[in-house]
Amino acid sequence: MDGFSFSTEVRVRFAETDAQGIVHNSNYAIWLELARVEYLERHAGGYNALREQGIEALVTETYIRFGVPVHFDDRVRVWARCVDLRGARFRYEYRLQRGEERVADAWTQHACVDRKTFRPTRIPGWLVEAIGRAEADDARRRPPAAENRAAAR
Amino acid sequence: MDGFSFSTEVRVRFAETDAQGIVHNSNYAIWLELARVEYLERHAGGYNALREQGIEALVTETYIRFGVPVHFDDRVRVWARCVDLRGARFRYEYRLQRGEERVADAWTQHACVDRKTFRPTRIPGWLVEAIGRAEADDARRRPPAAENRAAAR
Amino acid sequence: MDGFSFSTEVRVRFAETDAQGIVHNSNYAIWLELARVEYLERHAGGYNALREQGIEALVTETYIRFGVPVHFDDRVRVWARCVDLRGARFRYEYRLQRGEERVADAWTQHACVDRKTFRPTRIPGWLVEAIGRAEADDARRRPPAAENRAAAR
Amino acid sequence: MDGFSFSTEVRVRFAETDAQGIVHNSNYAIWLELARVEYLERHAGGYNALREQGIEALVTETYIRFGVPVHFDDRVRVWARCVDLRGARFRYEYRLQRGEERVADAWTQHACVDRKTFRPTRIPGWLVEAIGRAEADDARRRPPAAENRAAAR
């Protein structure tokens, strides 16, 4: 996927569907979270490594644009990348696909806070570095955009 | 409702339905919880009064028998009573109705635990008394059990 | 609330909280839906009136900006207005408040579709008119913005 | 696991936790469903094979006994077996484990219904046979109980 090096697959649960016969929109936010959790696990020791340092990452903004609706038992691939780490803040961008069909585009904005006071606290240095490495590796692997788009087809 | 003095109403959310067009069974457990929370609020200062004393009430068993399925925007009345308080343990019994139709019968078993250690801890005396009063008032209003059972048929 | 004539109250369910001790972000999308459902009920015969005509309204975009986190048993007032009805599309805007504190700002974009084919279909005339009346009434009742803001305090 | 030949693994989602810091009890019913879906996929062509014949399987009863609470990112193994197929009805039994610890025991009772009328309809013969084969194979593979328990360690 153009510009994304990480992805994970979600299989639609029956409980995630609604009376329209498709996945209820609120579940997409949960799938984005699953992708973040696995991203952190692969690149930075997991979300619990943050929590053990007394830090929680809050969601401060969510944007989702829905494409083709998805159904029970569909497989949805969630591509994710972490960008714009600054102070306490960072951002994830996502692309959700079912095969070649676009299921959604999304981004979420986050802030690290102290687990007890809920006051903003800087992203730990080790996490900034781990994510920097993960995304830089990706950038290096990435072909120029035009070829890349061609390859994605 | 025969044998129940407390009830609350739930209105079915669209998000609670599934691709069968009815409410997904997992949501009933949430409705039972809503009834317990409102029961405690009416009779004993609310669930947060327990939490402020460092106590959580865990669910240790759940049983639900499903009747007529319910749909988006239906109103479901949840009747609840608290029984069998002993040591750390207590039990709720429920009847769910949509008008005259039986939506479900259920019971849940609970244990009070210390919020930090999750070890069992006695139900506070004030809570035992408050529930005793609530259910005794109810028992006085209630007809004798035999008639009661007959009436339920 | 400045610019909003409709609101409804949500009481935070225990099941809506997460291990951060606050409401999980995915539930906000469900609260927005509750507000839409009650808005349609008050102004236009309910969402089921649409469904009975073979029409479903899909969510095509969601944006939420989170303010103060909310906790179990908090009361959250959800203000909502419906704007920009054009062809098959319409938009809702929201403000969520806990007392004077801002819990979230949000908007959702929607499209009416045929219930069977999921193809876009025009918003029925009666619905456009009902919403037009609802929002126009509101505009007429609304004092100039400056006084309005003062009144909201 | 003694008496079970099928299992699947669930990884606890952050969204499944609640303000007690543990998984909210309502999610167990969803995990039981995931196990049934994967069981049917492995042994009988998947739940959608039923739906395509105009049949839905409803949950008519649920019983869950909770053991050790589980937390974000825990892995829970869900063992499941299908028993007592008769007419329209069948039953699943479950054991949930985190390593050697018992997370829950559960059973659910089901009825096949016509997808449109919701009236009971016999379990299709091919499904009875597929499940019969699956569970019989298991019984044959199963060592005597004592060895079995030893082998599970």
Side-chain angles (χ1 to χ4, degrees):
Chain A
M1 176 63 54
D2 199 11
F4 291 92
S5 60
F6 172 87
S7 74
T8 186
E9 196 182 75
V10 172
R11 185 179 174 184
V12 175
R13 299 173 168 191
F14 200 84
E16 292 172 333
T17 61
D18 67 22
Q20 291 182 338
I22 59 175
V23 171
H24 189 269
N25 70 87
S26 61
N27 293 296
Y28 287 62
I30 296 175
W31 297 349
L32 304 183
E33 181 177 88
L34 292 182
R36 293 194 301 275
V37 164
E38 295 198 20
Y39 180 101
L40 286 181
E41 184 184 41
R42 173 148 357 140
H43 293 309
Y47 183 57
N48 275 330
L50 260 186
R51 303 187 87 210
E52 280 156 18
Q53 291 200 293
I55 297 173
E56 295 277 4
L58 299 184
V59 178
T60 58
E61 284 177 275
T62 299
Y63 171 76
I64 305 171
R65 184 153 57 96
F66 298 90
V68 295
V70 285
H71 301 86
F72 166 59
D73 221 27
D74 281 355
R75 269 69 169 176
V76 178
R77 183 147 294 279
V78 184
W79 296 87
R81 67 182 163 220
C82 187
V83 298
D84 294 345
L85 293 84
R86 282 179 216 176
R89 306 192 166 274
F90 59 98
R91 178 187 183 90
Y92 271 92
E93 296 173 345
Y94 314 85
R95 168 79 54 83
L96 283 69
Q97 298 267 141
R98 182 184 59 194
E100 292 301 304
E101 295 172 293
R102 177 138 353 164
V103 171
D105 290 298
W107 55 261
T108 52
Q109 188 71 34
H110 301 268
C112 285
V113 296
D114 180 282
R115 198 178 176 171
K116 296 219 168 124
T117 63
F118 269 64
R119 290 219 188 120
T121 184
R122 296 183 72 80
I123 309 167
W126 58 266
L127 181 55
V128 175
E129 281 163 34
I131 291 172
R133 270 195 309 275
E135 297 294 342
D137 284 359
D138 173 45
R140 230 174 296 127
R141 274 198 310 274
R142 213 182 304 164
E147 297 173 26
N148 201 7
R149 270 196 296 279
R153 275 165 201 169
Chain B
M1 176 62 55
D2 202 10
F4 291 92
S5 60
F6 172 87
S7 74
T8 186
E9 195 182 75
V10 172
R11 186 178 172 184
V12 175
R13 299 174 167 191
F14 199 84
E16 292 172 332
T17 61
D18 67 22
Q20 292 182 338
I22 60 175
V23 171
H24 189 269
N25 70 88
S26 62
N27 293 295
Y28 287 62
I30 296 175
W31 297 350
L32 304 183
E33 179 177 272
L34 292 182
R36 292 194 301 274
V37 164
E38 294 197 22
Y39 179 101
L40 286 181
E41 185 185 40
R42 174 151 351 142
H43 293 309
Y47 182 57
N48 273 330
L50 260 187
R51 303 187 87 210
E52 280 156 19
Q53 290 199 291
I55 296 173
E56 295 277 4
L58 299 185
V59 179
T60 58
E61 285 176 276
T62 298
Y63 170 76
I64 305 172
R65 183 154 56 96
F66 298 89
V68 295
V70 285
H71 300 86
F72 167 57
D73 221 27
D74 281 354
R75 268 69 168 177
V76 177
R77 184 148 294 277
V78 184
W79 296 87
R81 64 181 166 222
C82 188
V83 297
D84 293 345
L85 294 83
R86 281 178 218 179
R89 303 191 168 276
F90 57 99
R91 178 186 182 89
Y92 271 93
E93 297 174 343
Y94 314 84
R95 167 81 53 81
L96 283 70
Q97 298 267 141
R98 182 184 58 194
E100 293 301 306
E101 295 173 293
R102 182 148 337 175
V103 171
D105 290 297
W107 54 261
T108 52
Q109 187 71 35
H110 301 269
C112 285
V113 296
D114 179 283
R115 197 178 177 170
K116 297 218 166 124
T117 63
F118 270 63
R119 291 218 188 120
T121 183
R122 296 183 71 79
I123 309 168
W126 57 266
L127 182 54
V128 175
E129 282 163 33
I131 290 173
R133 269 196 309 276
E135 296 296 341
D137 285 358
D138 174 46
R140 232 172 295 128
R141 276 198 307 276
R142 217 183 298 165
E147 297 173 26
N148 200 6
R149 270 195 299 276
R153 277 165 200 166
Chain C
M1 175 65 54
D2 200 9
F4 291 92
S5 60
F6 172 86
S7 74
T8 187
E9 195 181 76
V10 173
R11 185 177 173 185
V12 176
R13 299 173 168 193
F14 200 83
E16 292 172 333
T17 61
D18 67 21
Q20 290 182 340
I22 61 175
V23 171
H24 189 269
N25 70 88
S26 62
N27 293 295
Y28 287 62
I30 296 175
W31 297 350
L32 303 183
E33 181 178 87
L34 292 182
R36 292 194 301 276
V37 164
E38 295 198 19
Y39 179 101
L40 286 180
E41 184 184 43
R42 176 153 348 147
H43 294 308
Y47 182 57
N48 274 330
L50 259 185
R51 304 187 86 210
E52 280 155 20
Q53 291 201 291
I55 296 173
E56 295 276 4
L58 299 184
V59 179
T60 58
E61 286 177 275
T62 298
Y63 171 76
I64 305 171
R65 184 155 56 96
F66 298 89
V68 293
V70 285
H71 301 85
F72 167 58
D73 221 25
D74 281 355
R75 269 69 169 176
V76 177
R77 184 148 291 280
V78 183
W79 295 87
R81 66 182 164 221
C82 187
V83 299
D84 294 345
L85 293 84
R86 281 177 217 181
R89 305 193 166 276
F90 57 98
R91 179 187 181 88
Y92 271 93
E93 297 174 342
Y94 314 85
R95 169 79 55 81
L96 283 69
Q97 298 267 140
R98 182 183 59 194
E100 293 301 304
E101 295 173 292
R102 180 142 347 168
V103 170
D105 290 298
W107 56 261
T108 53
Q109 188 72 34
H110 302 268
C112 285
V113 296
D114 179 282
R115 198 177 176 172
K116 296 216 167 127
T117 63
F118 270 65
R119 288 215 189 122
T121 184
R122 296 184 71 80
I123 310 168
W126 57 266
L127 182 54
V128 174
E129 281 163 34
I131 291 172
R133 270 197 307 277
E135 297 295 342
D137 285 0
D138 173 46
R140 229 174 300 126
R141 273 201 309 278
R142 212 181 302 163
E147 297 172 27
N148 201 9
R149 271 196 296 279
R153 274 164 201 166
Chain D
M1 175 63 54
D2 199 9
F4 291 92
S5 60
F6 172 86
S7 74
T8 187
E9 194 181 78
V10 173
R11 184 178 173 186
V12 175
R13 298 174 167 191
F14 199 84
E16 292 173 332
T17 61
D18 67 20
Q20 291 182 338
I22 60 176
V23 171
H24 190 268
N25 68 88
S26 62
N27 293 296
Y28 287 61
I30 296 174
W31 297 349
L32 303 183
E33 180 178 87
L34 292 182
R36 292 194 301 275
V37 164
E38 295 197 21
Y39 179 101
L40 286 181
E41 185 184 41
R42 176 156 344 148
H43 293 309
Y47 182 57
N48 273 330
L50 259 186
R51 304 188 86 210
E52 280 155 18
Q53 291 199 290
I55 296 173
E56 294 277 4
L58 299 184
V59 179
T60 58
E61 286 176 274
T62 299
Y63 171 75
I64 306 171
R65 183 153 57 95
F66 299 89
V68 295
V70 285
H71 301 86
F72 166 60
D73 222 26
D74 280 356
R75 268 71 168 175
V76 176
R77 184 149 292 278
V78 184
W79 296 87
R81 66 182 164 220
C82 187
V83 298
D84 293 344
L85 293 83
R86 282 178 217 180
R89 305 194 166 275
F90 57 99
R91 178 187 182 89
Y92 271 93
E93 297 174 344
Y94 314 85
R95 169 79 54 81
L96 283 70
Q97 299 266 140
R98 183 184 57 194
E100 292 301 304
E101 295 173 293
R102 179 141 347 169
V103 170
D105 290 297
W107 55 261
T108 52
Q109 188 71 34
H110 302 268
C112 285
V113 296
D114 179 281
R115 198 178 177 171
K116 296 218 168 126
T117 64
F118 270 65
R119 289 216 188 122
T121 185
R122 295 183 72 80
I123 311 168
W126 57 266
L127 182 54
V128 174
E129 281 163 33
I131 290 172
R133 270 195 309 276
E135 297 295 341
D137 285 0
D138 173 44
R140 227 174 302 127
R141 273 200 311 276
R142 214 182 302 161
E147 299 173 25
N148 200 9
R149 270 196 297 280
R153 274 162 201 167

